[in-house]
Amino acid sequence: MARVIAERSDVVPQLAEVFRAYGFEGASLARITAGTGLGKGSIYHFFPGGKDEMADAVLEHIGLWFREHVFVPLREDPVAAAGIGAMFDAVARYFLSGRKVCLVGVFALGGERDRFAARVGRYFQDWIAALAQALERGGRDGATALALAEDAVGAIQGALVLARAADNTDVFMRTLERWRGRLA
Amino acid sequence: MARVIAERSDVVPQLAEVFRAYGFEGASLARITAGTGLGKGSIYHFFPGGKDEMADAVLEHIGLWFREHVFVPLREDPVAAAGIGAMFDAVARYFLSGRKVCLVGVFALGGERDRFAARVGRYFQDWIAALAQALERGGRDGATALALAEDAVGAIQGALVLARAADNTDVFMRTLERWRGRLA
DNA sequence: GTCTATAAAGCGATAGAC
DNA sequence: GTCTATCGCTTTATAGAC
């Protein structure tokens, strides 16, 4: 009988979806084995530290994705406005236009914050800093750039809350387009 | 030995703090009895429907508070700008300047959304509608008023996420003041 | 690397005495 | 209205065969 041998890196995105769907406390081993298709034995082979290590790996994976697709373009695109445009495109794509929720935001609001404080804090801090730097390169003064960056990143998180509350992604896309305009 | 007899209405705010601190799944009966100082027997006497009924009572309690202190001033203050100012004051007070998280937002992002969809959806819908109406009374056209209301309510939710992620309430108060200015 | 079996603890909820 | 004792189930995590 043929069988597929998994790697740790294959499991992380699947774990991310389980944590996103149920939260940290709600992501039971039963749901994790269902979502990954692996038995407990395999899961604990990859993550001997249990759920904490799984969630940590997921947060690291998300951090890397944002670094590559959002923070780096913001910091390094020679045309600052193009980097900002890339950010909005990447965000719309990543959150599936508002259907998918931000796991870092979920962890920030929940009791998991303290446990994962370092990664959660750094994610937003890096995002705001990268956007502020791009806005400054685009010609704004430092204080305005920082305020706008804080507002835009917060607005994206807030729009995800509203979209999920209303079960309607339109509010997320409308918010994204309004902020695209404000930052242009 | 003297002992205090509790009423259902005394317990609801304490339950709110437990749900806020641990989320719905994380709010175990053990934490609930610790947070309320009541045994399981008393808790189930007040809420025979268990945790679902407790959370529902908490959401209703929050809804009533916002209706009284936020939505009504927005809709009925003869000076629209004064109603909007009252909203920002009430919000800063309610969320303890960003130290306290929005339970409705937590439920919206988590797996609890579907279970409490009606209350969660209505909370934000009513808030946005009341603010948009006040902005329109203040002289904005309908489309602008709605867009601004959506942005402001989303910004408040997003700022709570950022404040808790950074463990720093300043970002919440800064956001509130910027939006107070934008809506003035 | 994968699985099943199992342990020990915690879970939500109920029953019944007071 | 409050409590303790208890039920049955699920939880995380481990052990050990393959």
Side-chain angles (χ1 to χ4, degrees):
Chain A
M1 173 191 164
R3 76 171 169 175
V4 179
I5 305 291
E7 286 184 42
R8 200 184 124 115
S9 59
D10 299 329
V11 182
V12 173
Q14 297 177 302
L15 284 174
E17 289 316 304
V18 178
F19 282 120
R20 225 185 288 276
Y22 302 105
F24 182 78
E25 305 255 15
S28 65
L29 264 310
R31 282 167 172 162
I32 286 170
T33 56
T36 59
L38 259 47
K40 294 186 203 188
S42 301
I43 293 287
Y44 273 88
H45 173 73
F46 289 131
F47 306 95
K51 278 175 69 177
D52 275 52
E53 193 177 340
M54 298 179 215
D56 204 59
V58 167
L59 288 177
E60 188 190 13
H61 184 253
I62 293 172
L64 286 173
W65 194 95
F66 271 80
R67 204 150 297 141
E68 183 182 342
H69 295 90
V70 179
F71 307 163
V72 165
L74 280 174
R75 281 195 290 253
E76 297 181 8
D77 196 303
V79 183
I84 294 171
M87 176 189 87
F88 283 110
D89 294 341
V91 163
R93 198 161 14 102
Y94 184 81
F95 294 116
L96 299 175
S97 308
R99 268 182 297 278
K100 216 165 94 172
V101 116
C102 178
L103 186 62
V104 191
V106 174
F107 277 22
L109 287 184
E112 305 82 20
R113 199 220 80 101
D114 296 350
R115 218 187 302 217
F116 304 105
R119 284 200 196 278
V120 168
R122 204 146 51 91
Y123 171 83
F124 291 113
Q125 185 185 310
D126 287 355
W127 190 349
I128 292 168
L131 179 54
Q133 190 252 39
L135 288 166
E136 216 172 333
R137 282 199 295 130
R140 322 250 183 179
D141 70 278
T144 307
L146 189 60
L148 279 176
E150 211 167 80
D151 277 334
V153 173
I156 290 168
Q157 293 297 311
L160 288 171
V161 174
L162 296 187
R164 188 116 156 77
D167 197 19
N168 178 353
T169 62
D170 294 354
V171 57
F172 180 71
M173 292 308 285
R174 281 199 298 268
T175 302
L176 238 46
E177 291 316 308
R178 284 196 292 265
W179 276 98
R180 204 194 279 268
R182 285 191 186 109
L183 300 190
Chain B
M1 173 188 164
R3 74 171 172 176
V4 181
I5 305 291
E7 289 185 40
R8 197 184 126 117
S9 58
D10 299 328
V11 183
V12 174
Q14 298 178 302
L15 285 174
E17 289 315 304
V18 178
F19 282 121
R20 224 186 288 277
Y22 302 105
F24 182 78
E25 306 253 15
S28 65
L29 264 310
R31 282 167 172 163
I32 287 170
T33 56
T36 58
L38 261 48
K40 293 187 203 190
S42 302
I43 293 287
Y44 273 88
H45 173 72
F46 290 130
F47 307 95
K51 280 176 68 177
D52 275 52
E53 192 176 341
M54 298 179 214
D56 205 59
V58 167
L59 288 177
E60 187 190 13
H61 184 253
I62 293 172
L64 286 173
W65 194 95
F66 271 80
R67 205 151 297 142
E68 182 182 343
H69 294 91
V70 178
F71 307 162
V72 165
L74 280 174
R75 282 194 289 252
E76 296 180 9
D77 195 304
V79 183
I84 294 171
M87 175 189 89
F88 282 109
D89 295 342
V91 163
R93 198 160 15 101
Y94 183 81
F95 294 116
L96 299 176
S97 307
R99 269 181 297 277
K100 218 166 92 170
V101 116
C102 178
L103 187 61
V104 191
V106 174
F107 277 23
L109 287 184
E112 305 82 22
R113 200 219 79 101
D114 295 351
R115 219 189 300 216
F116 304 106
R119 284 201 196 277
V120 167
R122 202 146 50 93
Y123 171 83
F124 291 113
Q125 185 185 311
D126 287 356
W127 191 348
I128 291 169
L131 179 54
Q133 189 253 38
L135 288 166
E136 213 170 337
R137 282 197 299 129
R140 321 247 183 181
D141 70 277
T144 306
L146 188 60
L148 278 175
E150 211 167 79
D151 277 335
V153 173
I156 290 167
Q157 293 297 311
L160 289 171
V161 174
L162 296 186
R164 189 118 156 76
D167 196 20
N168 178 353
T169 62
D170 294 353
V171 58
F172 180 72
M173 292 309 285
R174 280 199 299 267
T175 302
L176 238 46
E177 290 317 308
R178 284 195 293 264
W179 276 99
R180 205 195 280 267
R182 285 192 186 106
L183 300 191

